Amino acid sequence: MSESVPQRIARLRGEIERHNYQYHTLDDPLITDAEFDAMFRELQALEIQYPSLTTPDSPTQRVGAAPRLSFTKVVHRSPMLSLNNAFNEEELRAFDVRTRETLGVAEVEYSVEPKFDGLAVTLTYRDGVFVQGATRGDGEVGEDVTQNLRTVRNIPLRLDSGRLAKPIPFIEIRGEVLMFKVDFIALNRQQADKGDKLFANPRNAAAGSLRQLNSQITSSRHLSFLAYGAGGVEGFILPDTHAEQLECLQKLSIPVPQERRVVSGPDGLLAYYREIGELRNKLPYEIDGVVYKVNNISQQTRLGYVSRAPRFALAHKFPAEEALTIVLDIEVQVGRTGALTPVARLAPVFVGGVTVTNATLHNEEEMRRKDIRIGDTVSVRRAGDVIPEVARVLLERRPVDTYEFKMPQVCPVCGAHVTKQPDEAIWRCSGGLFCPAQRKQAVLHFASRRALDIEGLGEKLVDQLVAQQWVHTPADLYKLNLRALAQLERMGEKSAQNLLDAIENSKQTTLARFIYALGIRNVGEATAKELARHFATLDNFISADETRLQLVPDIGPVVAQSIATFFSEPHNIEVIAQLRATGVRWPEQAEMAVQLLPLNANIFVLTGTLASMSRDEAKSRLETLGARVTGSVSQKTDYVVAGAEAGTKLSKARELNIAVLDEQQFLQLLNKNKMPAASN
Ligand code: IVH
């Protein structure tokens, strides 16, 4: 009996995906490349003939689609967290002790995996079909790279639910996109042949390939995916250990690392660390350590989270790689807060996968302590993404005529005198924002991704804007015009316009980003978020004195003083006024401090689908009322809002005896606590 066209298409897709999996995930092809190509071309021909039968989960979509203009942002349903690190055995043992004590058990079982050195992504499958993929971004908001991820051959476009008791209506899978070492070498060879820029390491190559607006380019690069866990699931109950969850993902045809194990106690962890350390160079992909996770999920829940990292997991990093080279010169750089940093210029050396030509010497004291001099042979260390540093000097190789490097008495950039607080190791330029180096760094920080996120405003460009005297403060960015910009080096009219668009787009921001962007000393991203949450409006924040500032969680006298000093400088207040006048804005909760908000400090978890609003809307309505919305249910949760088809979170809430609101009760709660309209 002959097949109908839709049947034939469905069968071809199934076969192609099966062979894709055999080839890319199992590394065990069952047919020849020619046979595979023949099926693929037949499918392509049928889809061209019957365009209405083409679907996003068809393997033909793996070749990429038309270029896009930009990536849309995706708010993660639950934040993509980071991990706490251990660098030695002592820290690992301390982690195990803490874990045992918190759980009150004699021994803990851990699920252990390599720590992939790639790019974190999250994959969403609805009814088994891959519908969305996003980068980690800042952990809360990432970029929609669905089209690009479709081209990654070992990501299933459709899950194989045949081996499960029932299909999964919704699941988010988290893992890393990597470039295998062989693919990286081949890519760089190609780049060199074309005279194009080489990638520094497989991680950068993976990131550069995934964040392509043209997914056909991504498709031409050989990327791979490896999952390290489930990000959320609905309508299905996952097994109750991490290891079994990974097994379950594997059954769905999701690639998971072969090198995973289940071990017990700190000795088990250590043995695994050593095993993988020995395997490291033989693995097809780069890793920078191993990750230990408490295996039992209810124990994980009991341990919970602190700040941005789970208490139930730990990354144990491999020691940084080191190599020998010569210090050619020592220069002094001026940072955003005027700090003078000595930097060693080095004879180029290949270490940890990249060629290193500079290493930070941190500060004068550190340079003295290690006694680093021009002409010295030094061992240079590089770990992960951090700036390379000099580990030690080989004194036996020191030439006879070296001398101690003296820090300059005036700023090497603006000539202002330099000062040092008695209890500090750092010399600072006293030129403030009159110093072009500080100005430049302040502008770069303001525009950086986690601040106002002005894409395309890089170091070279800011150099020119400051040198031309067009930009003295971040507020001046909003006064730039097309004619002037287009005259700059390496700037056409088109890129000038793109930059102006990016500057314009940056005006709509959040209070937390704005506070972070100001570059107040000691106010990092997490502190800025805490301040925004606490004060709710910029004016409340500016007018708070040091005593009130210290009421904010995690803010002590040092940070409070930095903030007070920043606002006591009239110039800073003036720049803020200018920024607001040019239209930089954010949604501010009504002129009321968060402590007074009706749901202040209540922790909510949303699950299931609400008929009356999207999850994002529900989250933002709750946050407007002062509540915190988190991704997983724990003892700290106050309420779980359960929409239709709520899954494991609902059962967990029942287990822990947490108040559950259905949609109607939730709407009543919102109505009861209606807020005045938001204003800036
Ligand atoms: S678990 C809740 N497992 O490391 C914990 N992360 O430093 C979520 N990473 O952003 C992460 N390999 O992208 C986990 N086997 C592994 C990993 C891994 C690499 C990355 C991950 C995360 C970063 C944190």
Side-chain angles (χ1 to χ4, degrees):
M1 197 178 73
S2 74
E3 294 170 307
S4 67
V5 172
Q7 277 169 340
R8 177 86 189 143
I9 287 181
R11 203 155 67 86
L12 282 168
R13 284 180 187 159
E15 283 291 290
I16 290 170
E17 278 302 87
R18 185 164 76 87
H19 290 297
N20 228 337
Y21 178 66
Q22 287 291 136
Y23 184 91
H24 290 286
T25 302
L26 301 183
D27 207 10
D28 180 23
L30 301 176
I31 57 172
T32 64
D33 288 0
E35 285 168 315
F36 183 88
D37 289 345
M39 282 198 288
F40 196 86
R41 276 197 306 271
E42 185 186 345
L43 177 61
Q44 266 180 327
L46 284 172
E47 288 183 357
I48 289 167
Q49 202 181 345
Y50 303 97
S52 64
L53 298 178
T54 310
T55 56
D57 64 330
S58 171
T60 55
Q61 302 303 302
R62 292 194 186 275
V63 292
R68 317 166 51 106
L69 293 174
S70 65
F71 294 118
T72 9
K73 303 264 187 245
V74 178
V75 179
H76 299 308
R77 292 163 59 103
S78 63
M80 293 184 72
L81 303 168
S82 49
L83 291 168
N84 287 324
N85 291 320
F87 292 93
N88 55 42
E89 185 179 334
E90 203 183 324
E91 287 167 352
L92 168 164
R93 291 194 183 274
F95 164 74
D96 178 68
V97 170
R98 270 196 314 274
T99 310
R100 271 190 289 129
E101 283 175 354
T102 313
L103 295 174
V105 296
E107 190 168 65
V108 180
E109 184 178 84
Y110 295 98
S111 176
V112 294
E113 299 154 17
K115 185 168 192 299
F116 319 119
D117 199 7
L119 192 78
V121 296
T122 179
L123 312 177
T124 303
Y125 289 86
R126 270 185 204 284
D127 296 323
V129 177
F130 174 58
V131 289
Q132 189 177 62
T135 59
R136 174 176 190 272
D138 64 5
E140 273 160 46
V141 182
E143 283 176 328
D144 185 329
V145 286
T146 313
Q147 284 291 6
N148 300 19
L149 286 170
R150 280 204 179 103
T151 73
V152 176
R153 301 299 192 275
N154 75 344
I155 293 183
L157 298 177
R158 186 177 267 282
L159 297 175
D160 177 4
S161 55
R163 277 173 285 171
L164 296 184
K166 70 181 205 76
I168 303 185
F170 175 94
I171 187 166
E172 220 180 298
I173 289 156
R174 294 193 167 165
E176 299 248 326
V177 166
L178 310 153
M179 190 174 283
F180 278 18
K181 292 173 191 168
V182 282
D183 296 321
F184 167 71
I185 293 166
L187 173 62
N188 260 358
R189 196 171 300 137
Q190 264 177 30
Q191 295 284 103
D193 288 348
K194 285 190 292 185
D196 285 348
K197 194 178 127 263
L198 300 192
F199 292 98
N201 52 40
R203 208 190 84 83
N204 287 1
S209 303
L210 188 66
R211 294 193 68 255
Q212 283 286 340
L213 291 168
N214 182 347
S215 54
Q216 288 165 0
I217 298 182
T218 315
S219 180
S220 73
R221 308 270 172 88
H222 289 226
L223 295 174
S224 305
F225 172 77
L226 277 175
Y228 52 67
V233 59
E234 280 168 29
F236 188 87
I237 303 206
L238 286 172
D240 53 15
T241 66
H242 180 73
E244 289 170 296
Q245 293 194 349
L246 290 181
E247 291 296 316
C248 177
L249 296 186
Q250 187 171 33
K251 281 195 192 141
L252 292 167
S253 67
I254 295 283
V256 290
Q258 289 311 311
E259 298 75 20
R260 65 189 192 281
R261 312 256 183 285
V262 174
V263 302
S264 281
D267 294 335
L269 297 179
L270 213 55
Y272 180 71
Y273 175 78
R274 296 199 176 120
E275 178 197 336
I276 297 296
E278 277 171 24
L279 212 65
R280 184 180 186 186
N281 287 328
K282 294 191 206 102
L283 286 178
Y285 49 84
E286 291 214 329
I287 60 174
D288 55 351
V290 292
V291 183
Y292 310 137
K293 299 171 185 172
V294 170
N295 196 23
N296 185 300
I297 303 291
S298 58
Q299 289 186 336
Q300 287 192 358
T301 313
R302 276 167 59 201
L303 287 156
Y305 300 83
V306 60
S307 182
R308 314 283 310 141
R311 277 204 200 86
F312 56 78
L314 185 73
H316 190 174
K317 295 289 201 66
F318 290 132
E321 294 190 43
E322 291 193 18
L324 296 184
T325 185
I326 292 174
V327 178
L328 301 177
D329 197 3
I330 296 178
E331 287 174 13
V332 172
Q333 282 179 354
V334 185
R336 172 164 59 86
T337 56
L340 266 51
T341 307
V343 175
R345 303 277 171 233
L346 305 168
V349 60
F350 196 71
V351 45
V354 302
T355 303
V356 169
T357 52
N358 300 313
T360 176
L361 303 179
H362 299 292
N363 56 52
E364 187 181 27
E365 231 168 65
E366 182 73 8
M367 180 171 59
R368 289 270 171 280
R369 199 176 59 75
K370 292 186 178 152
D371 191 17
I372 299 161
R373 303 180 182 190
I374 298 170
D376 270 341
T377 299
V378 291
S379 168
V380 176
R381 179 166 58 193
R382 184 183 164 273
D385 250 358
V386 301
I387 309 165
E389 55 170 12
V390 172
R392 65 200 162 90
V393 175
L394 282 79
L395 288 177
E396 63 278 15
R397 297 210 197 167
R398 172 169 285 174
V400 285
D401 56 348
T402 63
Y403 49 89
E404 272 194 359
F405 179 80
K406 292 242 169 341
M407 290 295 279
Q409 295 302 297
V410 294
C411 169
V413 177
C414 73
H417 67 277
V418 301
T419 59
K420 184 159 89 158
Q421 300 286 338
D423 53 343
E424 269 197 351
I426 297 170
W427 287 98
R428 288 179 199 278
C429 158
S430 62
L433 285 176
F434 298 102
C435 172
Q438 289 189 50
R439 237 185 277 155
K440 183 183 133 186
Q441 295 302 332
V443 171
L444 274 173
H445 173 78
F446 182 86
S448 64
R449 195 161 59 90
R450 285 156 186 256
L452 281 241
D453 193 16
I454 305 180
E455 205 169 320
L457 193 65
E459 192 156 351
K460 298 238 161 60
L461 195 54
V462 174
D463 264 344
Q464 294 187 65
L465 297 176
V466 170
Q468 296 278 356
Q469 306 254 13
W470 292 345
V471 171
H472 296 87
T473 74
D476 295 334
L477 290 172
Y478 298 91
K479 298 175 194 150
L480 293 170
N481 65 56
L482 189 64
R483 266 229 339 257
L485 276 181
Q487 290 163 13
L488 292 175
E489 251 173 65
R490 279 188 286 186
M491 253 293 183
E493 189 142 322
K494 182 143 177 281
S495 27
Q497 187 56 53
N498 287 346
L499 179 65
L500 286 180
D501 291 345
I503 293 175
E504 186 59 32
N505 285 338
S506 74
K507 286 182 177 173
Q508 180 67 52
T509 185
T510 64
L511 179 57
R513 279 176 176 269
F514 186 78
I515 292 175
Y516 173 63
L518 292 175
I520 305 170
R521 209 150 120 201
N522 300 316
V523 177
E525 205 187 358
T527 309
K529 278 191 184 164
E530 211 48 68
L531 288 165
R533 166 182 285 280
H534 186 89
F535 289 108
T537 75
L538 185 67
D539 292 333
N540 277 347
F541 173 46
I542 295 180
S543 59
D545 60 16
E546 287 180 47
T547 320
R548 272 182 55 208
L549 285 166
Q550 288 187 52
L551 295 176
V552 181
D554 295 337
I555 292 201
V558 175
V559 183
Q561 195 193 11
S562 298
I563 296 170
T565 311
F566 184 89
F567 289 125
S568 68
E569 175 64 62
H571 170 82
N572 290 332
I573 300 287
E574 172 60 29
V575 171
I576 291 172
Q578 285 176 14
L579 284 167
R580 295 180 93 167
T582 58
V584 175
R585 60 190 180 275
W586 50 88
E588 268 189 353
Q589 281 141 357
E591 300 293 312
M592 184 198 295
V594 164
Q595 295 99 306
L596 303 177
L597 290 171
L599 298 181
N600 178 41
N602 280 302
I603 300 182
F604 279 72
V605 172
L606 301 170
T607 179
T609 320
L610 297 172
S612 53
M613 68 184 83
S614 70
R615 193 175 280 217
D616 284 344
E617 193 185 341
K619 180 164 188 261
S620 93
R621 301 247 328 239
L622 282 167
E623 284 173 347
T624 316
L625 296 171
R628 265 176 201 260
V629 181
T630 67
S632 59
V633 179
S634 76
Q635 244 124 10
K636 292 196 194 140
T637 311
D638 295 301
Y639 297 96
V640 168
V641 177
E645 288 171 33
T648 42
K649 290 181 190 167
L650 178 56
S651 23
K652 186 148 287 162
R654 299 237 159 91
E655 209 174 284
L656 297 175
N657 230 343
I658 288 163
V660 175
L661 303 178
D662 64 19
E663 180 155 6
Q664 207 176 353
Q665 290 166 320
F666 173 60
L667 292 174
Q668 276 167 3
L669 176 89
L670 292 182
N671 275 334
K672 199 171 79 195
N673 292 300
K674 256 210 177 100
M675 295 282 294
S679 68
N680 188 9

